[in-house]
Amino acid sequence: SKAPNCFMIYRQNYVRELQNQKLSYAMTDISGFISDSWKNESPSVVEFYKNLAQEANKQHKEKY
C-alpha cells in the first residue's frame, strides 16, 4: 500500500462531506464532478491538500 495523494485526500473529504449532509451518490456519478471541483480549487486549497498528503506520506514511511 502507499499513502494517498493530495487529490485522493480531497476526494475522501468531499465524499465525507456529502455523507455528513445525508447525500448519497454512486462514485461513478460524482467522480467527474469531484475532479472538476478539484481543478477549480484555489491555489491555497490545493496547497493545503498537498501538505496533508506530505504528512500522510511521512507517517506511511514511518509505519512501513
Side-chain angles (χ1 to χ4, degrees), residues 2-64:
K2 63 182 196 176
N5 65 28
C6 52
F7 174 72
M8 292 309 295
I9 296 171
Y10 177 83
R11 181 186 175 94
Q12 289 169 345
N13 285 340
Y14 200 104
V15 170
R16 190 174 304 121
E17 184 57 34
L18 290 175
Q19 291 169 342
N20 288 341
Q21 295 177 21
K22 307 291 188 223
L23 300 172
S24 180
Y25 299 98
M27 285 299 148
T28 54
D29 293 339
I30 62 172
S31 288
F33 184 75
I34 296 171
S35 178
D36 290 341
S37 181
W38 174 249
K39 291 174 188 172
N40 292 317
E41 285 293 356
S42 69
S44 62
V45 170
V46 172
E47 186 65 27
F48 173 79
Y49 282 97
K50 283 182 181 180
N51 290 336
L52 287 178
Q54 288 174 347
E55 183 61 31
N57 190 39
K58 179 181 170 185
Q59 290 178 5
H60 180 68
K61 285 182 180 180
E62 290 173 358
K63 186 175 181 180
Y64 298 100

